[in-house]
Amino acid sequence: MAKTGDEFRGRLRERYRAVVRAGALVLWRADDTGQMTGITGWEQLTGRPADEAIGRGYVAAFHPDDQMLLDFRNQAMGDSLQIECRVLDRDRRWRWVRGRGVRLSERSSFAAEWVGTLEDIHDQRRALDRARYLAERDALTGLGNRRTLSAYLTRLRDRQASATVVMLDVDGFKAINDLHGHQVGDRFLVRLGQMLVAAAPAHSLCARMGGDEFCVAVADGDEARAMCAALAGASTAGIAIGDLLVPLSFSAGIADADWDDPDPGSMVLRKADLALRRAKAQSGGIVVHNARMQAESDRRELLLRAIAPACRNDEFFLEYQPIVDVDSGAQVSVEALIRWQHPQFGRIGPSTFVHLAEQNGLIAELGRWVLRRACADMAGTAPDIRVNLNVSARQLAAPDFADDVLAIAREYAIAPQRITLELTESVNMAVLAGSDAFARLRQHGFRTVLDDFGTEYAMLSHITSGQFDGIKLSRDLVRHCCVNERAGVMLRHLVGLSEGLGMEIVAEGVETPGELACLKQHGIRLMQGYYFGRPRALHELGTGAPAAG
């Protein structure tokens, strides 16, 4: 059927309207000067009549900051355009739209013009803005995050502006979660973030680093200390969470940025974190990073990196301290004590490097070295010499621990009965119950002892667990029991309990004749300490009673 020109144009307009309804799309046409000459879908998008957009009327509907993008008179992009801008809708809200256009050149009887579309992208843009917000903000508190803080420090460095970082966290935050639940804990952190913003200078940046750790970048040390003082003052009354009043105390570390440092943004955060850890170690307060603190940290890092090579290079060595039966004077066992002869720092005691090894996953390698060297030393001695070896809970948790111990003992032909394993750090019964290492080793004849009994970790439940053949009293408990009558009563009962369970009890750290007499009076018969001799090479101890002193 033949169609007239009017019918064709009518059908074309109908198609345009259908497209508009289907996709929230505005079709527009404008001349070369930016005068709108035709528009379809404007009313559906904005709620206002289309004729208001004709000419330059459409410009007033767009956000003032975006109107320059719509000036066709100064277009410099050639024959096409694509912009994102905001238009006011019927509810007086700014909606994001994407405008596209193509310029048609003058031809025949047609003047040059622009044709294009406006597409509603408001939901997409909001989702994108939300994603950007989450990338730059902490989702719980709305403060900045590590990324925001890093970018802020970079901007300060580029301007060579001074900067001081305050790293702080809540003292005892875990107890808040445990006592009141994580919902209260989250509300506590939100309120703390608000208090931090109120206490910080207006130009500063506050960020949550994770958990209960926050960070603030200010201009200098004076501002840092003033902010900490303001926060401490505001927290005196605690934080109100509903009907609860939760006490707040915090520890803080302060460090100045040095833009001459390599990677200065990361470096100042490490310095502030180091000062914070020092503050936590001294039970709270505020610590300012200094050169001595950094030197100590650098030394620890150097030692940490050197532990594994030191095992391979035989920089470690063992000394042995006797465990004595005070009734007979006989040496019943010796404890192997690791030492480190460092090529740069000289002799280093275990209190310095064993904790580093435990914290950083190197204790298993160090423990294997100790076991191998002790077995090698024992191989050249009388078969009645027994050795006590310290074992950390991290070693115990390793799946191949028991296999390693058995293999090394067999390699040197050392009977398992000659080796006693002392568990040297905090352990709970759930850890022991989840590991069959102790059970397997005990079945093969290795003896097991709970070391440092009397610290906050060693509980009576460990004694009755059946996992240990004996206990060793800590030096602190020994000293306390010899000066405190009530502690002495407790010790006598502990001796009776151990004997009733068939367990040996050893007192370590015995240094004076008075302590020796006191412990004997309380029923202790096995002792160890400087009173009986300082640690020495195994071949120097022999098998007889060592000289006192």
Side-chain angles (χ1 to χ4, degrees), residues 209-461:
M209 308 300 280
D212 62 319
E213 188 172 271
F214 293 79
C215 189
V216 185
V218 297
D220 54 39
D222 290 340
E223 284 193 351
R225 284 182 282 272
M227 186 207 71
C228 289
L231 182 62
S235 65
T236 301
I239 294 181
I241 309 292
D243 296 332
L244 294 171
L245 187 61
V246 183
L248 167 63
S249 65
F250 62 90
S251 301
I254 299 175
D256 295 326
D258 183 349
W259 303 132
D260 292 329
D261 282 336
D263 194 6
S266 296
M267 182 63 73
V268 69
L269 293 179
R270 287 198 293 270
K271 290 177 179 178
D273 184 63
L274 177 62
L276 172 60
R277 283 189 274 123
R278 178 66 61 89
K280 299 291 284 186
Q282 63 187 35
S283 301
I286 299 169
V287 171
V288 179
H289 181 272
N290 56 47
R292 179 178 177 181
M293 191 184 305
Q294 188 62 47
E296 292 173 357
S297 175
D298 292 343
R299 183 173 184 268
R300 285 196 300 271
E301 288 295 322
L302 188 152
L303 292 178
L304 176 62
R305 292 193 297 270
I307 288 175
C311 289
R312 297 189 292 269
N313 298 335
D314 277 340
E315 294 174 18
F316 294 112
F317 63 97
L318 295 182
E319 290 184 328
Y320 297 85
Q321 188 172 43
I323 299 172
V324 176
D325 183 329
V326 294
D327 288 334
S328 66
Q331 174 183 290
V332 298
S333 185
V334 293
E335 180 180 357
L337 301 171
I338 188 171
R339 304 290 188 258
W340 187 358
Q341 189 65 37
H342 191 277
Q344 178 180 350
F345 300 115
R347 181 161 170 156
I348 302 173
S351 60
T352 300
F353 63 86
V354 170
H355 185 59
L356 284 176
E358 288 174 345
Q359 284 184 320
N360 294 277
L362 297 171
I363 193 64
E365 183 172 359
L366 189 61
R368 280 191 293 270
W369 184 93
V370 170
L371 179 61
R372 186 174 297 278
R373 177 51 53 88
C375 286
D377 289 347
M378 292 171 69
T381 62
D384 60 339
I385 290 183
R386 293 162 47 194
V387 172
N388 289 35
L389 301 174
N390 294 307
V391 175
S392 78
R394 291 180 183 270
Q395 288 175 267
L396 180 62
D400 55 354
F401 172 71
D403 291 335
D404 282 347
V405 173
L406 286 166
I408 293 172
R410 288 168 180 164
E411 178 182 349
Y412 289 92
I414 303 298
Q417 292 76 11
R418 297 179 64 190
I419 298 177
T420 297
L421 304 175
E422 298 186 6
L423 195 63
T424 60
E425 67 173 20
S426 61
V427 63
N428 56 50
M429 296 315 300
V431 172
L432 290 178
S435 170
D436 67 348
F438 255 25
R440 286 183 59 201
L441 292 171
R442 285 167 59 84
Q443 288 171 1
H444 282 86
F446 293 90
R447 301 179 73 256
T448 55
V449 166
L450 179 62
D451 195 10
D452 286 330
F453 187 88
T455 68
E456 61 181 305
Y457 302 115
M459 308 294 291
L460 288 176
S461 59

Side-chain angles (χ1 to χ4, degrees), residues 14-71:
E14 187 178 356
R15 290 171 180 167
Y16 284 165
R17 293 190 184 99
V19 170
V20 169
R21 289 195 305 272
L25 198 67
V26 175
L27 307 178
W28 56 268
R29 184 174 72 254
D31 64 20
D32 233 8
T33 67
Q35 299 284 331
M36 191 69 65
T37 57
I39 193 164
T40 303
W42 181 259
E43 185 173 355
Q44 287 83 349
L45 179 66
T46 66
R48 291 190 297 273
D51 56 10
E52 290 186 5
I54 299 301
R56 297 286 295 176
Y58 68 92
V59 176
F62 286 87
H63 195 285
D65 293 344
D66 299 335
Q67 290 176 5
M68 285 297 295
L69 300 173
L70 308 170
D71 191 349

Side-chain angles (χ1 to χ4, degrees), residues 179-209:
L179 186 61
H180 303 295
H182 288 276
Q183 185 175 11
V184 169
D186 286 349
R187 293 173 64 187
F188 178 93
L189 293 176
V190 171
R191 180 68 186 115
L192 175 57
Q194 295 167 347
M195 294 170 64
L196 196 58
V197 171
H203 59 262
S204 63
L205 185 136
C206 301
R208 180 182 176 221
M209 308 300 280

Side-chain angles (χ1 to χ4, degrees), residues 74-93:
N74 296 310
Q75 284 297 331
M77 75 286 289
D79 294 335
S80 65
L81 65 87
Q82 177 170 314
I83 60 174
E84 292 185 3
C85 49
R86 290 154 289 183
V87 65
L88 199 63
D89 69 10
R90 61 176 63 87
D91 298 319
R92 309 297 297 173
R93 295 178 303 185

